[in-house]
Amino acid sequence: MPEGLHLSPWSATALAALLAVAVAAMAHRIAAVVLRRATAPVPVVRAVVIACIPVMRVLLPLIALQLVWQAASDDLRYIGSVRHLNGLLVIGGACWLLIAAIGGLANGVIAQHPADVEDNLTARRIATQAHVLSRTAMTGVVMAGVALMLMTFPGARQVGASLLASAGVVGIVAGIAARPVFSNMIAGLQIALAQPLRIDDVLIIEGEWGRVEEITGTYVVLRIWDERRLIIPLQWFIEHPFQNWTRTSSEILGTVFLFADYRLPLDPLRAELQRVLEAAPEWDRRVGILQLTDVTERTLQMRVLVSARSSGLAFDLRCRVREALVTFIQREHPDCLPQVRLHGQGSPLVPAGAASPAPGVG
């Protein structure tokens, strides 16, 4: 070989590194095509593969480079630092791969149970478990990855050992600081397993009505009806009572209260209620009744009980029924609106809330 073609040790190593990266890239492309086709009949596995393919595009070259650096001569300048840096990148890439696989698995499981159906209780339960458990697992992977990276530094082992062995003020402060993090993680596992709430559940918390929009590893996002967001730590749900309107089913009953004079006939009002319900798309045809629930010295109290498939539909149905029945009373029986009767023969009837006639007025 001519003398000009001789390569320095670093040049030969760099050439080998370029060749290794090219081979890794080619292997990645072939493996991606094969795995996509092979996992097509299994949607969950396919979701994991699709999530991991972008990560492997980076991780495979890093592994190939690490093999080249390990095979290189120890006499090369800075080879130790290059090996260490590449090793850290491989650890980070491996953690990234695990996180992507966990996320792909969760998304694949959720995709198998769509929530855009009328009875989506099972889908919401599975989605909640998948979200919470996957994020808890991702947190564990990140912590393990950081620990492995730190252990590659000689001083980190000594620091870690001294911290574990210490039982003084540092240990107390660290325990107090870490308590909210671990308590929320444990609360997340409890919520995922016991499921007192799920994604898209309707909750009443601190007097606020809203739907569960997101469950993270540390908090729950409640989307309030007026588009505000209420952020609640996971631990709060373990320690405080709250209302869940969709715990076992999204079906719910709604009430409408009406007040009228004693002279109002109830049968026409019941017939009007039935007519309104038959024309209402929100009504699920389970419950639709009008009852006289109370009488006072001035008015009758009537309760209308209606049913709907969800709390949102129940609210709309209540508004529709309330407006229709009030309009019916105003149109057909205006004299049966709440009245105030004055003592004395021939005294007029005054609508409730109106000012009484002045003394001496006949």
Side-chain angles (χ1 to χ4, degrees):
M1 178 181 296
E3 183 177 354
L5 295 179
H6 284 288
L7 300 176
S8 64
W10 255 118
S11 298
T13 303
L15 183 60
L18 290 176
L19 182 61
V21 170
V23 172
M26 185 178 300
H28 172 269
R29 177 167 298 185
I30 296 173
V33 174
V34 173
L35 289 175
R36 282 178 186 270
R37 294 181 179 178
T39 58
V42 188
V44 176
V45 179
R46 181 179 174 83
V48 175
V49 170
I50 292 176
C52 293
I53 284 177
V55 185
M56 292 302 298
R57 186 179 294 116
V58 177
L59 183 58
L60 279 179
L62 288 176
I63 295 175
L65 286 176
Q66 188 67 19
L67 295 177
V68 173
W69 306 142
Q70 292 295 334
S73 174
D74 294 336
D75 297 332
L76 290 178
R77 191 177 184 183
Y78 305 122
I79 189 63
S81 299
V82 171
R83 290 170 179 170
H84 188 200
L85 177 60
N86 200 96
L88 293 176
L89 294 177
V90 170
I91 294 175
C95 293
W96 184 16
L97 178 65
L98 288 176
I99 291 173
I102 294 171
L105 178 62
N107 293 334
V109 171
I110 293 173
Q112 290 291 99
H113 301 82
D116 55 349
V117 296
E118 183 173 344
D119 187 7
N120 60 358
L121 184 63
T122 301
R124 292 189 290 113
R125 174 178 59 81
I126 293 175
T128 301
Q129 289 179 334
H131 279 300
V132 175
L133 293 178
S134 63
R135 287 174 180 174
T136 303
M138 289 178 186
T139 302
V141 170
V142 172
M143 295 176 63
V146 172
L148 289 175
M149 288 183 179
L150 290 177
M151 294 302 290
T152 61
F153 296 91
R157 298 178 182 178
Q158 299 176 2
V159 173
S162 62
L163 287 176
L164 291 176
S166 63
V169 178
V170 176
I172 297 175
V173 172
I176 295 175
R179 187 187 65 82
V181 177
F182 289 107
S183 64
N184 276 320
M185 290 181 62
I186 295 173
L189 291 175
Q190 289 178 291
I191 289 175
L193 297 176
Q195 294 209 328
L197 70 151
R198 295 173 295 266
I199 298 293
D200 206 39
D201 267 349
V202 176
L203 306 183
I204 305 294
I205 297 177
E206 301 292 340
E208 296 285 3
W209 181 97
R211 290 184 177 274
V212 177
E213 183 177 56
E214 184 181 5
I215 300 178
T216 70
T218 55
Y219 59 86
V220 172
V221 180
L222 190 70
R223 178 167 54 87
I224 309 301
W225 64 272
D226 57 0
E227 301 299 330
R228 290 178 293 138
R229 301 300 191 272
L230 184 64
I231 311 299
I232 311 105
L234 289 177
Q235 187 64 24
W236 189 93
F237 292 95
I238 305 301
E239 299 175 349
H240 298 84
F242 59 93
Q243 295 184 41
N244 188 337
W245 287 11
T246 54
R247 177 67 178 86
T248 57
S249 173
S250 60
E251 297 176 340
I252 195 170
L253 299 180
T255 57
V256 175
F257 286 95
L258 297 173
F259 297 88
D261 191 73
Y262 273 74
R263 294 178 298 174
L264 176 68
L266 298 184
D267 289 339
L269 194 62
R270 287 193 175 98
E272 178 66 10
L273 170 64
Q274 190 63 31
R275 186 192 68 79
V276 172
L277 291 178
E278 292 292 342
E282 301 91 352
W283 189 44
D284 63 1
R285 301 180 178 275
R286 290 188 301 117
V287 179
I289 58 175
L290 185 148
Q291 297 172 311
L292 184 64
T293 54
D294 196 8
V295 293
T296 68
E297 68 277 8
R298 294 183 178 181
T299 61
L300 303 176
Q301 182 192 72
M302 294 161 287
R303 185 189 69 176
V304 177
L305 196 61
V306 293
S307 61
R309 293 184 300 274
S310 67
S311 57
L313 294 177
F315 179 82
D316 294 338
L317 181 60
R318 291 168 58 202
C319 293
R320 180 190 294 269
V321 169
R322 185 183 297 111
E323 180 179 347
L325 294 185
V326 169
T327 302
F328 175 79
I329 297 174
Q330 291 174 339
R331 183 182 66 248
E332 302 295 334
H333 304 279
D335 57 333
C336 293
L337 294 172
Q339 308 280 349
V340 176
R341 289 178 170 80
L342 300 180
H343 293 289
Q345 186 175 5
S347 297
L349 297 178
V350 181
S356 300
V361 177

PDB file of all heavy atoms in Angstrom, residues 320-334:
ATOM      1  N   ARG A 320     -85.408  22.825  28.725  1.00  0.00           N
ATOM      2  CA  ARG A 320     -86.488  22.727  27.734  1.00  0.00           C
ATOM      3  C   ARG A 320     -87.844  22.525  28.431  1.00  0.00           C
ATOM      4  O   ARG A 320     -88.836  23.187  28.094  1.00  0.00           O
ATOM      5  CB  ARG A 320     -86.211  21.557  26.787  1.00  0.00           C
ATOM      6  CG  ARG A 320     -87.287  21.362  25.718  1.00  0.00           C
ATOM      7  CD  ARG A 320     -87.061  20.053  24.993  1.00  0.00           C
ATOM      8  NE  ARG A 320     -85.839  20.039  24.229  1.00  0.00           N
ATOM      9  CZ  ARG A 320     -85.756  20.413  22.940  1.00  0.00           C
ATOM     10  NH1 ARG A 320     -86.843  20.816  22.291  1.00  0.00           N
ATOM     11  NH2 ARG A 320     -84.601  20.355  22.318  1.00  0.00           N
ATOM     12  N   VAL A 321     -87.909  21.618  29.390  1.00  0.00           N
ATOM     13  CA  VAL A 321     -89.161  21.334  30.086  1.00  0.00           C
ATOM     14  C   VAL A 321     -89.603  22.535  30.912  1.00  0.00           C
ATOM     15  O   VAL A 321     -90.796  22.911  30.913  1.00  0.00           O
ATOM     16  CB  VAL A 321     -88.995  20.087  30.974  1.00  0.00           C
ATOM     17  CG1 VAL A 321     -90.182  19.917  31.912  1.00  0.00           C
ATOM     18  CG2 VAL A 321     -88.814  18.846  30.107  1.00  0.00           C
ATOM     19  N   ARG A 322     -88.685  23.169  31.610  1.00  0.00           N
ATOM     20  CA  ARG A 322     -89.038  24.316  32.441  1.00  0.00           C
ATOM     21  C   ARG A 322     -89.643  25.441  31.588  1.00  0.00           C
ATOM     22  O   ARG A 322     -90.684  26.019  31.927  1.00  0.00           O
ATOM     23  CB  ARG A 322     -87.794  24.816  33.176  1.00  0.00           C
ATOM     24  CG  ARG A 322     -88.078  25.932  34.168  1.00  0.00           C
ATOM     25  CD  ARG A 322     -86.793  26.429  34.813  1.00  0.00           C
ATOM     26  NE  ARG A 322     -86.132  25.401  35.594  1.00  0.00           N
ATOM     27  CZ  ARG A 322     -84.978  24.843  35.266  1.00  0.00           C
ATOM     28  NH1 ARG A 322     -84.358  25.203  34.139  1.00  0.00           N
ATOM     29  NH2 ARG A 322     -84.439  23.928  36.026  1.00  0.00           N
ATOM     30  N   GLU A 323     -88.991  25.755  30.487  1.00  0.00           N
ATOM     31  CA  GLU A 323     -89.484  26.817  29.615  1.00  0.00           C
ATOM     32  C   GLU A 323     -90.852  26.459  29.022  1.00  0.00           C
ATOM     33  O   GLU A 323     -91.760  27.302  28.964  1.00  0.00           O
ATOM     34  CB  GLU A 323     -88.479  27.071  28.492  1.00  0.00           C
ATOM     35  CG  GLU A 323     -88.896  28.167  27.523  1.00  0.00           C
ATOM     36  CD  GLU A 323     -87.857  28.396  26.441  1.00  0.00           C
ATOM     37  OE1 GLU A 323     -86.726  27.877  26.593  1.00  0.00           O
ATOM     38  OE2 GLU A 323     -88.184  29.088  25.457  1.00  0.00           O
ATOM     39  N   ALA A 324     -91.011  25.215  28.576  1.00  0.00           N
ATOM     40  CA  ALA A 324     -92.271  24.818  27.942  1.00  0.00           C
ATOM     41  C   ALA A 324     -93.434  24.852  28.931  1.00  0.00           C
ATOM     42  O   ALA A 324     -94.539  25.324  28.596  1.00  0.00           O
ATOM     43  CB  ALA A 324     -92.122  23.423  27.344  1.00  0.00           C
ATOM     44  N   LEU A 325     -93.228  24.370  30.157  1.00  0.00           N
ATOM     45  CA  LEU A 325     -94.329  24.330  31.118  1.00  0.00           C
ATOM     46  C   LEU A 325     -94.694  25.727  31.619  1.00  0.00           C
ATOM     47  O   LEU A 325     -95.878  26.031  31.829  1.00  0.00           O
ATOM     48  CB  LEU A 325     -93.958  23.424  32.290  1.00  0.00           C
ATOM     49  CG  LEU A 325     -93.788  21.939  31.944  1.00  0.00           C
ATOM     50  CD1 LEU A 325     -93.549  21.120  33.205  1.00  0.00           C
ATOM     51  CD2 LEU A 325     -95.008  21.401  31.193  1.00  0.00           C
ATOM     52  N   VAL A 326     -93.692  26.584  31.806  1.00  0.00           N
ATOM     53  CA  VAL A 326     -93.997  27.954  32.217  1.00  0.00           C
ATOM     54  C   VAL A 326     -94.767  28.671  31.107  1.00  0.00           C
ATOM     55  O   VAL A 326     -95.747  29.395  31.362  1.00  0.00           O
ATOM     56  CB  VAL A 326     -92.701  28.712  32.572  1.00  0.00           C
ATOM     57  CG1 VAL A 326     -92.977  30.201  32.740  1.00  0.00           C
ATOM     58  CG2 VAL A 326     -92.104  28.159  33.858  1.00  0.00           C
ATOM     59  N   THR A 327     -94.355  28.469  29.874  1.00  0.00           N
ATOM     60  CA  THR A 327     -95.072  29.073  28.739  1.00  0.00           C
ATOM     61  C   THR A 327     -96.502  28.546  28.658  1.00  0.00           C
ATOM     62  O   THR A 327     -97.443  29.306  28.368  1.00  0.00           O
ATOM     63  CB  THR A 327     -94.323  28.778  27.438  1.00  0.00           C
ATOM     64  OG1 THR A 327     -92.993  29.288  27.534  1.00  0.00           O
ATOM     65  CG2 THR A 327     -95.024  29.424  26.247  1.00  0.00           C
ATOM     66  N   PHE A 328     -96.692  27.263  28.919  1.00  0.00           N
ATOM     67  CA  PHE A 328     -98.034  26.662  28.879  1.00  0.00           C
ATOM     68  C   PHE A 328     -98.938  27.293  29.944  1.00  0.00           C
ATOM     69  O   PHE A 328    -100.098  27.631  29.670  1.00  0.00           O
ATOM     70  CB  PHE A 328     -97.929  25.156  29.102  1.00  0.00           C
ATOM     71  CG  PHE A 328     -99.248  24.465  29.205  1.00  0.00           C
ATOM     72  CD1 PHE A 328     -99.992  24.168  28.068  1.00  0.00           C
ATOM     73  CD2 PHE A 328     -99.773  24.110  30.448  1.00  0.00           C
ATOM     74  CE1 PHE A 328    -101.225  23.528  28.161  1.00  0.00           C
ATOM     75  CE2 PHE A 328    -100.996  23.479  30.552  1.00  0.00           C
ATOM     76  CZ  PHE A 328    -101.730  23.182  29.404  1.00  0.00           C
ATOM     77  N   ILE A 329     -98.409  27.455  31.147  1.00  0.00           N
ATOM     78  CA  ILE A 329     -99.220  28.055  32.217  1.00  0.00           C
ATOM     79  C   ILE A 329     -99.544  29.511  31.882  1.00  0.00           C
ATOM     80  O   ILE A 329    -100.680  29.973  32.080  1.00  0.00           O
ATOM     81  CB  ILE A 329     -98.485  27.947  33.570  1.00  0.00           C
ATOM     82  CG1 ILE A 329     -98.292  26.478  33.964  1.00  0.00           C
ATOM     83  CG2 ILE A 329     -99.251  28.692  34.663  1.00  0.00           C
ATOM     84  CD1 ILE A 329     -97.462  26.288  35.216  1.00  0.00           C
ATOM     85  N   GLN A 330     -98.564  30.236  31.355  1.00  0.00           N
ATOM     86  CA  GLN A 330     -98.815  31.627  30.996  1.00  0.00           C
ATOM     87  C   GLN A 330     -99.873  31.745  29.891  1.00  0.00           C
ATOM     88  O   GLN A 330    -100.693  32.673  29.891  1.00  0.00           O
ATOM     89  CB  GLN A 330     -97.508  32.284  30.525  1.00  0.00           C
ATOM     90  CG  GLN A 330     -96.482  32.484  31.623  1.00  0.00           C
ATOM     91  CD  GLN A 330     -95.165  32.986  31.078  1.00  0.00           C
ATOM     92  OE1 GLN A 330     -94.866  32.829  29.883  1.00  0.00           O
ATOM     93  NE2 GLN A 330     -94.363  33.603  31.943  1.00  0.00           N
ATOM     94  N   ARG A 331     -99.861  30.807  28.949  1.00  0.00           N
ATOM     95  CA  ARG A 331    -100.769  30.895  27.813  1.00  0.00           C
ATOM     96  C   ARG A 331    -102.157  30.349  28.131  1.00  0.00           C
ATOM     97  O   ARG A 331    -103.171  30.972  27.795  1.00  0.00           O
ATOM     98  CB  ARG A 331    -100.164  30.112  26.638  1.00  0.00           C
ATOM     99  CG  ARG A 331    -101.003  30.204  25.349  1.00  0.00           C
ATOM    100  CD  ARG A 331    -100.394  29.383  24.229  1.00  0.00           C
ATOM    101  NE  ARG A 331    -100.430  27.951  24.513  1.00  0.00           N
ATOM    102  CZ  ARG A 331     -99.351  27.217  24.749  1.00  0.00           C
ATOM    103  NH1 ARG A 331     -98.151  27.774  24.743  1.00  0.00           N
ATOM    104  NH2 ARG A 331     -99.481  25.919  25.008  1.00  0.00           N
ATOM    105  N   GLU A 332    -102.231  29.181  28.764  1.00  0.00           N
ATOM    106  CA  GLU A 332    -103.508  28.511  28.978  1.00  0.00           C
ATOM    107  C   GLU A 332    -104.165  28.854  30.315  1.00  0.00           C
ATOM    108  O   GLU A 332    -105.390  28.844  30.417  1.00  0.00           O
ATOM    109  CB  GLU A 332    -103.307  26.990  28.884  1.00  0.00           C
ATOM    110  CG  GLU A 332    -102.724  26.527  27.567  1.00  0.00           C
ATOM    111  CD  GLU A 332    -103.665  26.787  26.399  1.00  0.00           C
ATOM    112  OE1 GLU A 332    -104.892  26.855  26.636  1.00  0.00           O
ATOM    113  OE2 GLU A 332    -103.182  26.903  25.251  1.00  0.00           O
ATOM    114  N   HIS A 333    -103.372  29.111  31.336  1.00  0.00           N
ATOM    115  CA  HIS A 333    -103.929  29.369  32.668  1.00  0.00           C
ATOM    116  C   HIS A 333    -103.189  30.533  33.326  1.00  0.00           C
ATOM    117  O   HIS A 333    -102.532  30.362  34.367  1.00  0.00           O
ATOM    118  CB  HIS A 333    -103.815  28.117  33.545  1.00  0.00           C
ATOM    119  CG  HIS A 333    -104.466  26.908  32.961  1.00  0.00           C
ATOM    120  ND1 HIS A 333    -105.836  26.675  33.043  1.00  0.00           N
ATOM    121  CD2 HIS A 333    -103.947  25.855  32.262  1.00  0.00           C
ATOM    122  CE1 HIS A 333    -106.126  25.536  32.446  1.00  0.00           C
ATOM    123  NE2 HIS A 333    -105.007  25.021  31.957  1.00  0.00           N
ATOM    124  N   PRO A 334    -103.274  31.716  32.739  1.00  0.00           N
ATOM    125  CA  PRO A 334    -102.536  32.846  33.327  1.00  0.00           C
ATOM    126  C   PRO A 334    -103.024  33.222  34.716  1.00  0.00           C
ATOM    127  O   PRO A 334    -102.272  33.797  35.510  1.00  0.00           O
ATOM    128  CB  PRO A 334    -102.778  33.975  32.319  1.00  0.00           C
ATOM    129  CG  PRO A 334    -104.040  33.604  31.616  1.00  0.00           C
ATOM    130  CD  PRO A 334    -104.047  32.105  31.549  1.00  0.00           C
TER     131      PRO A 334
END
